[in-house]
Amino acid sequence: MTTDMIDRSQFQAIFRPSIWLLAGISLTVIDTVMGYITHGELHFIAGLAASIFCVVFIILSRQSAAIEMARKELKRSDEKLIEAQLLVRIGGWETGNQGDVILSPEAAEIFGFYDQSKFSGKIRDFYALVHPEDRARIREATKNALQNSDRFTASYRVVLEDGRIRYMRDSAIVLRNELGEPLGLNGVVQDISEGAEIDRKIQLARHMEKVGMLAGGMAHDFGNTLAIILGSAELMKYRKEYNSQTVENIIEAADQGTKVVQRLLGYARQTPLITVCLCLDEAVGRCVERLRGVIGGSAHLDYTRPINPTTIVVDKDQLSDALFNVVFNARDASGPDCLIKIECGAASDIDLTGFTLPDGELCNYGVIIVSDQGNGMTADELEKATQPFFTTKTGSGNGLGLAMVASFIDQAKGQLSILSKRGEGTRVAMFFPTSESA
């Protein structure tokens, strides 16, 4: 209904009786005067009574028309409210201090009581609907609102008779008497199951994505571990006497493989990193010695030791995996006959021109830089370098190496920065907080 139509109906309801009222009064007055002139006082009294009756009748008719119009408007508003409540799945409810609950028809339908006679109206039966894992929390929230607040809000699950689970959100005000004593709650309930189901599916999709990344990352790390084991074993085949260091490399690599599984379990349990204070030179130097025996081909590692001793706070095993991933990526990008440079130290002691630097003072960070002379990456490839499953390798690689490295460095409160240009190689800088800044 348009505004013009509403205004017209209101005009008709209000002013049309007024016109008839004026006309009736005029006719009655004229008739009364004429009767007095022609028939005397008795006829005048009768005419006056008729005039009063006419006036009263017209006034009542006018009021009746206004009441009827208001009733129709109220009915129309109620219908619109019910339609809106059904559309957004909202219903009203009220509780008393005697343990009773009153549900509107919409609320009863939301709770699965399509026949309201099946609901006893007792609060205990309502709590029986609430999911067992949420029941105690809702009882406590209700008690706290009645005792200490003027409002009540809660989200919870209910289990319907057919076993379906619905998600609800309640909002209510606390009713109190003149003394401030609680009388009950008056509120609304909204069925948010549709939105909750969408959120659940989104969370599940994200979880599955993380699981897929983790499984691929685990395979990626195991591939690196197996490369060390196989490389060391190949060296042992061609030697008459076993070198103790070679055997030690095999043992350490196997131990590293078990730690990969431990990290998988740790991720599933949301276990934080096991951080320790590490001498940067010793940690990187040890990795370099292991890498030299397994990197393959005639690849050469050039390690530049730090100018000043630097201690970083990091997970030792994750650091080793990250460095292995970056070095193997450099080897794959550069080919078998390549030079890979590794340098480390305090960030304030190294030339970091071009790199994106972490926030804060550089003296609060240690850095490891791995440089290769491979093909490098285009600007578009560089932007996607740390995205899961993105790879520039043809026929090999799962695109998880740098993604796992970036995730670890972020968790360690460090920063990963990459410089690369097509035909000019790549430089990867891994920043970690020092013990002084922790």
Side-chain angles (χ1 to χ4, degrees):
M1 182 179 293
T2 64
T3 304
D4 291 340
M5 294 177 65
I6 294 175
D7 292 342
R8 191 179 301 116
S9 64
Q10 291 176 340
F11 176 83
Q12 291 172 351
I14 295 173
F15 290 101
R16 183 178 291 174
S18 299
I19 295 172
W20 283 107
L21 174 64
L22 292 175
I25 292 174
S26 299
L27 291 174
T28 304
V29 169
I30 293 172
D31 181 68
T32 300
V33 172
M34 293 300 296
Y36 178 77
I37 295 173
T38 57
H39 301 288
E41 184 177 349
L42 182 63
H43 188 82
F44 172 76
I45 295 173
L48 183 60
S51 299
I52 294 173
F53 176 80
C54 182
V55 170
V56 171
F57 176 78
I58 293 175
I59 291 175
L60 292 177
S61 298
R62 179 186 178 188
Q63 291 180 341
S64 176
I67 292 172
E68 179 64 18
M69 184 185 71
R71 188 187 66 80
K72 290 181 179 180
E73 288 294 331
L74 181 60
K75 181 180 179 182
R76 198 155 36 238
S77 298
D78 288 342
E79 290 173 350
K80 290 180 179 180
L81 177 60
I82 292 173
E83 289 175 359
Q85 289 180 333
L86 292 175
L87 183 63
V88 296
R89 302 286 292 168
I90 288 180
W93 56 268
E94 185 175 337
T95 65
N97 54 10
Q98 301 298 321
D100 54 318
V101 181
I102 301 174
L103 299 178
S104 71
E106 296 76 27
E109 182 179 341
I110 288 173
F111 286 114
F113 297 112
Y114 299 101
D115 182 358
Q116 277 193 276
S117 63
K118 293 184 178 180
F119 180 58
S120 67
K122 297 299 181 182
I123 192 69
R124 63 174 181 271
D125 293 327
F126 165 74
Y127 281 128
L129 286 174
V130 178
H131 195 286
E133 295 178 2
D134 300 338
R135 196 172 296 154
R137 175 174 58 83
I138 296 302
R139 285 182 182 272
E140 185 63 27
T142 303
K143 179 181 178 181
N144 183 67
L146 290 172
Q147 293 179 351
N148 307 312
S149 179
D150 292 327
R151 293 189 175 275
F152 167 79
T153 57
S155 297
Y156 56 94
R157 295 164 292 175
V158 296
V159 183
L160 305 185
E161 289 184 348
D162 57 9
R164 288 182 298 153
I165 295 178
R166 282 184 175 175
Y167 293 79
M168 306 294 175
R169 179 184 291 123
D170 279 358
S171 297
I173 59 173
V174 179
L175 303 175
R176 300 184 183 277
N177 60 18
E178 295 81 357
L179 300 177
E181 298 170 336
L183 299 176
L185 297 169
N186 186 8
V188 294
V189 59
Q190 182 176 14
D191 184 347
I192 58 172
S193 302
E194 185 176 347
E197 180 64 17
I198 293 174
D199 290 342
R200 188 189 68 80
K201 290 181 178 180
I202 292 174
Q203 292 296 328
L204 179 60
R206 289 175 178 171
H207 176 71
M208 293 305 296
E209 180 182 358
K210 290 179 180 179
V211 169
M213 289 178 59
L214 190 62
M218 185 181 70
H220 186 275
D221 288 343
F222 263 124
N224 292 341
T225 301
L226 289 174
I228 298 172
I229 296 174
L230 293 174
S232 299
E234 285 291 330
L235 290 175
M236 291 176 64
K237 284 198 314 182
Y238 297 103
R239 295 179 180 177
K240 294 181 180 180
E241 296 182 359
Y242 293 157
N243 183 283
S244 61
Q245 183 59 48
T246 303
V247 175
E248 184 66 25
N249 286 344
I250 294 176
I251 295 173
E252 287 188 7
D255 183 60
Q256 189 72 15
T258 63
K259 289 176 179 177
V260 170
V261 176
Q262 291 175 358
R263 286 197 296 277
L264 173 62
L265 295 175
Y267 176 85
R269 299 167 184 161
Q270 297 298 308
T271 303
L273 296 177
I274 303 175
T275 57
V276 295
C277 292
L278 287 180
C279 174
L280 189 57
D281 181 32
E282 291 180 6
V284 175
R286 187 172 178 81
C287 288
V288 169
E289 289 303 315
R290 292 173 59 193
L291 283 164
R292 280 176 175 156
V294 298
I295 197 169
S298 57
H300 177 66
L301 291 179
D302 180 15
Y303 175 46
T304 302
R305 302 173 68 92
I307 300 173
N308 298 306
T310 303
T311 303
I312 60 173
V313 180
V314 72
D315 187 303
K316 178 177 63 176
D317 298 319
Q318 295 262 26
L319 175 65
S320 175
D321 284 346
L323 185 55
F324 269 68
N325 273 318
V326 174
V327 171
F328 278 118
N329 279 346
R331 179 203 61 185
D332 294 341
S334 305
D337 302 321
C338 63
L339 172 64
I340 299 173
K341 295 182 179 181
I342 301 175
E343 59 181 321
C344 68
S348 54
D349 293 339
I350 296 178
D351 182 11
L352 299 172
T353 303
F355 285 111
T356 300
L357 304 179
D359 295 332
E361 299 292 334
L362 284 180
C363 60
N364 292 328
Y365 291 91
V367 63
I368 304 171
I369 300 178
V370 178
S371 305
D372 66 60
Q373 299 174 339
N375 293 326
M377 292 181 283
T378 64
D380 183 61
E381 291 171 343
L382 181 60
E383 185 177 359
K384 300 176 181 177
T386 58
Q387 293 182 8
F389 308 113
F390 176 79
T391 180
T392 58
K393 301 174 185 177
T394 303
S396 64
N398 53 30
L400 288 167
L402 280 178
M404 298 291 287
V405 171
S407 177
F408 152 63
I409 294 176
D410 183 67
Q411 189 178 2
K413 298 180 180 179
Q415 182 165 309
L416 176 68
S417 181
I418 305 174
L419 293 180
S420 188
K421 192 173 182 180
R422 177 64 75 187
E424 296 182 10
T426 300
R427 301 182 72 201
V428 178
M430 296 177 283
F431 296 86
F432 299 97
T434 62
S435 58
E436 289 80 7
S437 64

